[in-house]
Amino acid sequence: MPSTRTLLQALLLGVGSCAANPLVASNSGPEVETRTLEEIHQAALKEGGIVTLWHGGDETTQQNTLKQAFEARFPGMTLNSTVDLSKYHDAALDEQLANNNVYVDSIILQTVQDYPRWNEEGALLQYAPLGFNEVAPAYKDSLGATYYGVAINGWKFIVNTNKSNVALNEWEDFLNPELKDKLVLTYPNDDDAVLWAFDLILERYGTGFFDRLLAQNPRWVRGTATPSTILRQANSTYAATFTSGGGFVSSNGVNFTLPTQGPFVTWAQTAAILKDAPHPEGAKLLHGFLLSTEWQQPRGWSVRRDVPLPANFPFGELDDNKNTNAGAFMPFMVDRARVGRLKDWLESKIGTPQGLSPLKDGI
């Protein structure tokens, strides 16, 4: 039965008892998928051939590649994907649950602290999709199978060498005088994954590093795709960032690197199917596709343990890199008191997020 709590209760309860153990398991076992993708495809077509996906992001076109690939792979299917900031998607989903009016099938969000709460409330489908057994334990609710990582995201060091010849190998390189007035960074008090990067920086290098970073006069923007876009613009003088993902193959003078000694952010973008999804077979098909080797392998680091890296991937195996821990993102996100304190401290230094919203206004 759908949750009967009010929207206000949803907003006030937060993560509740899940804070101690974010990977909370359900009491009963999940449905384990045994069909092939082709068999699920046929079931999804009989259901209507539609999947409604809410995906976290900050530009409306960010999931166009997924939509095109999914619809080409499974003729007759339509993937209706809506991209918005995860913090807005999760509030809107709480409203659906409070009103017993679920019309979304699948969610893939950065706000991973909400998955354990939704799991406890019984809002998520207990379902282990194809490929679930190969997903690393750190990225999934391994017993209940209600939520699991489907992609590894992370922030890279990015520099446009047409605008700066500074090599970015460690965090200290961003303090190079040549990068003064040339850094563009996402507000950390507007995005929790960016906030985590600053948490790691402050823990490793202290507030002195942050003060020196501020002395570089960075431009603060909203959205994590925004810095990468700006430093590529021909009429822009901004040259470098560490709050965007981008690709992994350098091109057109834009280079991607990672620190060899300092920490950096990676995390598993997490997915779930709503228990009352109107198109559960379509959602099962989508999640099986997302965890398939054909989708995972070309994208670099995989949530699956059995997927090799692409031949041209420059960064090596994620598990071999001691400077990042993608599984530590959820514990950070669940600790909302720590997140709130850090946001408040940073806001006292750089102010509230200002400027254009990439989803609504462009750059």
Side-chain angles (χ1 to χ4, degrees), residues 15 66 69 93 141 162 208-209 216-217 230 277 281 284 296 352:
V15 295
L66 173 59
L93 180 58
D141 166 30
N162 297 313
F209 179 94
Q216 292 286 74
N217 193 32
I230 288 175
E281 295 296 343
K284 292 173 183 178
Q296 291 278 315
T352 57

Side-chain angles (χ1 to χ4, degrees), residues 12-95:
L12 294 179
L13 282 174
V15 295
S17 62
C18 296
N21 179 17
L23 296 182
V24 176
S26 303
N27 291 327
S28 58
E31 173 191 351
V32 178
E33 186 60 78
T34 59
R35 297 171 295 175
T36 65
L37 284 176
E38 286 66 32
E39 290 171 333
I40 306 172
H41 180 199
Q42 294 307 309
L45 289 174
K46 291 179 182 178
E47 184 183 67
I50 294 172
V51 191
T52 299
L53 167 67
W54 278 7
H55 202 295
D58 44 35
E59 291 190 1
T60 57
T61 60
Q62 283 175 330
Q63 296 308 314
N64 285 4
T65 298
L66 173 59
K67 176 179 172 65
Q68 293 163 4
F70 180 76
E71 294 179 352
R73 175 68 170 78
F74 303 107
M77 295 298 300
T78 299
L79 176 58
N80 295 321
S81 176
T82 301
V83 176
D84 202 345
L85 299 182
S86 292
K87 61 185 179 182
Y88 298 150
H89 271 328
D90 62 8
L93 180 58
D94 275 329
E95 187 171 6

Side-chain angles (χ1 to χ4, degrees), residues 3-14 91 94-99 117 121:
S3 170
T4 57
R5 77 207 190 297
T6 67
L7 177 58
L8 179 60
Q9 287 173 325
L11 295 174
L12 294 179
L13 282 174
D94 275 329
E95 187 171 6
Q96 287 184 45
L97 295 170
N99 294 328
R117 172 170 61 85
E121 294 170 352

Side-chain angles (χ1 to χ4, degrees), residues 84-161:
D84 202 345
L85 299 182
S86 292
K87 61 185 179 182
Y88 298 150
H89 271 328
D90 62 8
L93 180 58
D94 275 329
E95 187 171 6
Q96 287 184 45
L97 295 170
N99 294 328
N100 295 334
N101 181 33
V102 174
Y103 54 86
V104 172
D105 300 308
S106 170
I107 51 173
I108 303 177
L109 304 176
Q110 178 184 297
T111 46
V112 295
Q113 76 276 5
D114 288 312
Y115 286 96
R117 172 170 61 85
W118 289 326
N119 185 16
E120 276 198 338
E121 294 170 352
L124 307 180
L125 184 67
Q126 294 185 31
Y127 172 72
L130 291 172
F132 178 82
N133 286 342
E134 290 299 336
V135 175
Y139 309 146
K140 63 184 178 183
D141 166 30
S142 57
L143 297 180
T146 53
Y147 54 90
Y148 33 84
V150 293
I152 296 293
N153 290 350
W155 309 138
K156 301 180 179 72
F157 291 178
I158 308 176
V159 62
N160 187 332
T161 60

Side-chain angles (χ1 to χ4, degrees), residues 279-307:
H279 309 103
E281 295 296 343
K284 292 173 183 178
L285 181 63
L286 174 63
H287 287 215
F289 176 65
L290 287 169
L291 287 178
S292 68
T293 56
E294 64 183 279
W295 180 257
Q296 291 278 315
Q297 200 270 339
R299 282 158 182 78
W301 288 320
S302 173
V303 295
R304 293 182 54 147
R305 298 168 295 187
D306 61 338
V307 174

